[in-house]
Amino acid sequence: MDGIQGGEELIKISGMIEKIIYQNEENGYTVCDIATDDDELITAVGIMPYICEGESIEAGGKWTVHPQFGHQFSIEYYEKRLPSTETAILKYLSSGAIRGIGRVTAKRIVEKYGLDSFDVIEHNPDWLCDLPGISPKKAKDIGESFRSQFGMRTVMMFCRDYFGPVTSVKIYKRFGSGAVDVIKANPYLLCDEINGIGFEKADSVARSLGIPKDSRERIAAGIKFVLTYNQYSSGHVYLPKNKLIETSCKLLSCPPESAEAELEILISDGSLVLVKEDGRDCVYTKNAYKAEKYIVEKLDSLSKTDHRIDLMNVSTLIERVEVENGISYAKLQRKAITDSLCQGVFVLTGGPGTGKTTVARAIIRIFETLGLSVALCAPTGRAAKRMTEATGREAKTIHRLLETERTSEDEPIFRRGEDNPLDEDVIMVDESSMIDIYLMESLLRATRPTARLILIGDASQLPPVGPGCVFKDIIASDRYNTVELKHIFRQAMESLIVTNAHAVNDGEHIDLTKKDGDFFFLPRETDELTAQTVVDLCRKRLPKSYGLSVFDGIQVITPSKKGALGTETLCMALQSAINPPSNGKKELKRRTSVLREGDKVMQVKNNYSITWKKPDGGEGTGVFNGDIGVIVKISHSEEKITVDYDGRTVEYDFTAAEELELAYAITVHKSQGSEYPIVVIPLFRYTPKLLTRNLLYTAITRARDMVVLVGDGEVADMMVDNNRQAKRYTGLEYFLTRFDD
């Protein structure tokens, strides 16, 4: 055994890359044949970015057995070596690894310089001008390309002691061949610049480099980390200065005066922003402050645009739509329709059964009659799909509407913005409670100054996963015309889903003894019995009675990922019952779970670049957090997983399988914006932080046709009584109410 990696002894090999069988350019995952120095030809797999045929490497790894291809060498780390024979040099240069060198030029270089070819390219690239077809500029480019290739070797070797290959590639892409010098100078830049590297990891690198715990760089990085971490863990847009210092000191184990001194420097140099709100010092990241300020300014600008319409004409238009649809709008619905037509910014809110969709359809129809174009959008794919079905017009995700692209660092950017705004006259957004400050900022930047903005949502739903409470803050500011629909219409009143949802929202206990066609409670004394019942409902009882399955209508929604009735446990139990292993089903084993052909899965992170295809030949890019599909194929030969998302087919490399999770059961937070025919909700005792009123309300309102509660009935009462809503530090309401001051 020649090496140790992560506590496991690794075998060391060396040889030349004979053939590249497959290589993923995004993450560097490679399948290749290696001609070893022992005159063996082996197949190797692993993260090997920028590797090329003809290159010589030293690598550490272990032997594995592929179910189809047999023995393979799985590479954990590798180091490039320069080819040492003229034949190997020629093969390497002919591979296209060096920009500007093709087969003909490679042959000319090797014929003239032989074993000194690499030395000439690296140190004296101008000598290449002696060869036909190579200009001084081309010679310079060849030299730079060569140095870049082998600069990466240094970066990868340095990073191997701290990070996995994928993260090392990100570091190289961000900092280039000088990454090692950058990291040694200030390793804390990693948690600022590289997605996925947190403060703790950067701190461990710093300690290994001998950087003292009281260094200014460390304290500054810790403070910034506390701010950004709280944005995405708790939704805080800012932190009070005293709280920020207190939390930072706990993280850094430093005295308050050190943290305060460094914080003052960060504020004075513009890295962070200090705002006084009602006598309290509030500290923002630059991006968070910019986002909230822009939202305030743009909303104010949109609201001041003159959209006056002859009210007599509006009344006529409403009556015409009533005749078309054979309905008569209630007084508050008519007001909502009228206000939306006359205002630059309009907010419509209300619970289930109050007629929001009816109003939205009328608004769209009247705008179309007036010759105005309307863009319909929602934060998630499922919410957009619901909007499409409800209105009969195409609705897009906000990301798709803004035409999302991706940077070289894998960060999303939008083609639509201030320089390329949306064409539509009206932007109508559904499920607006799910929008965080950054997505709202991006949407507003793409909204024309003369356009109307209509926000529709339920303010009682859970707040967005990202930072802020945009929808609630806009309503609370009382600055823009808002209509809240409260009346539950007779048809909706007949549904216990609707009446119980409103009861929960009003703090009233549900009568669990009352049974109806769309709302049931099945008491179970233990978590084990509850889990068994959930499985039985999904596998037998509900499919038999209603002709639906977990793939086309039944969704288990639970408060937590962990615990006896969390998503992880229930998904494994449901998978075993509904899609058990068989000889005809291929599967991919992971550390804690198995993905199998036929499994229901969810995309758990936004992937803006992945391609999807439709049976009719249509194609596009992007699969987003919360999208649910079914695994239709697992190919070990191609190392790909194929997932069908409601007619959109997506291929994942095995290395991207981390983006997929089983979805037989999902958390309430993941269900936001979605609607399912039948929702099964296990009731079990868990942390009070998760057993809250708005969480139960959100879960119930995900059901269209039926809710089944299973478990401890007292838990439902506990959730109704627990109206605790985690405080989010946001400045939007404050800025909106004082914008003219």
Side-chain angles (χ1 to χ4, degrees), residues 562-581:
K562 304 294 183 180
L565 290 161
T567 58
E568 293 178 355
T569 302
L570 285 177
C571 275
M572 291 176 65
L574 287 161
Q575 180 193 46
S576 179
I578 295 169
N579 189 37

Side-chain angles (χ1 to χ4, degrees), residues 31-163:
V31 181
C32 63
D33 287 338
I34 299 176
T36 72
D37 294 346
D38 297 329
D39 293 327
E40 290 184 81
L41 186 66
I42 66 171
T43 299
V45 299
I47 306 295
M48 294 181 280
Y50 307 116
I51 209 79
C52 299
E53 292 179 1
E55 284 190 306
S56 293
I57 66 167
E58 291 182 352
K62 56 190 176 183
W63 287 102
T64 60
V65 180
H66 191 282
Q68 184 172 347
F69 299 106
H71 281 81
Q72 295 181 336
F73 191 73
S74 179
I75 291 178
E76 299 284 339
Y77 72 89
Y78 75 99
E79 179 181 3
K80 290 184 180 182
R81 301 182 308 178
L82 287 173
S84 56
T85 67
E86 288 191 8
T87 301
I89 293 171
L90 177 61
K91 185 167 185 175
Y92 172 72
L93 292 178
S94 300
S95 70
I98 308 301
R99 188 176 62 251
I101 300 180
R103 292 182 181 275
V104 174
T105 302
K107 187 177 180 182
R108 288 171 177 168
I109 293 172
V110 175
E111 284 177 348
K112 185 171 181 64
Y113 298 111
L115 296 176
D116 296 326
S117 295
F118 288 141
D119 186 66
V120 170
I121 293 171
E122 183 176 9
H123 300 293
N124 299 290
D126 55 304
W127 291 10
L128 299 177
C129 295
D130 294 340
L131 299 174
I134 300 182
S135 65
K137 183 179 183 305
K138 185 174 181 179
K140 182 181 178 183
D141 289 343
I142 288 172
E144 289 177 352
S145 178
F146 181 85
R147 288 189 290 274
S148 174
Q149 279 284 323
F150 287 88
M152 187 179 182
R153 174 179 62 182
T154 305
V155 176
M156 296 295 290
M157 288 298 296
F158 176 83
C159 289
R160 134 181 149 199
D161 295 330
Y162 307 106
F163 310 105

Side-chain angles (χ1 to χ4, degrees), residues 207-245:
R207 286 198 302 272
S208 74
L209 295 172
I211 295 174
K213 293 183 69 175
D214 61 352
S215 71
R216 284 192 53 207
E217 291 84 2
R218 181 173 186 267
I219 295 172
I223 291 170
K224 289 189 285 186
F225 171 75
V226 169
L227 275 176
T228 54
Y229 176 80
N230 274 275
Q231 279 190 26
Y232 292 99
S233 67
S234 303
H236 299 311
V237 180
Y238 71 83
L239 286 179
K241 181 180 176 182
N242 60 345
K243 191 175 184 70
L244 174 59
I245 291 173

Side-chain angles (χ1 to χ4, degrees), residues 257-270:
E257 52 268 25
S258 297
E260 187 154 9
E262 194 58 43
L263 177 58
E264 292 302 323
I265 294 171
L266 290 169
I267 292 169
S268 64
D269 68 16

Side-chain angles (χ1 to χ4, degrees), residues 12-32:
K12 189 175 180 179
I13 65 164
S14 58
M16 186 179 73
I17 306 295
E18 185 71 25
K19 183 181 181 181
I20 301 282
I21 300 169
Y22 170 79
Q23 189 165 57
N24 184 314
E25 294 184 2
E26 293 296 325
N27 57 29
Y29 182 79
T30 303
V31 181
C32 63

Side-chain angles (χ1 to χ4, degrees), residues 558-563 565-568 666-668 684 686 690:
T558 186
S560 169
K561 290 186 69 173
K562 304 294 183 180
L565 290 161
T567 58
E568 293 178 355
I666 62 176
T667 62
V668 180
F684 63 108
Y686 203 65
L690 289 175

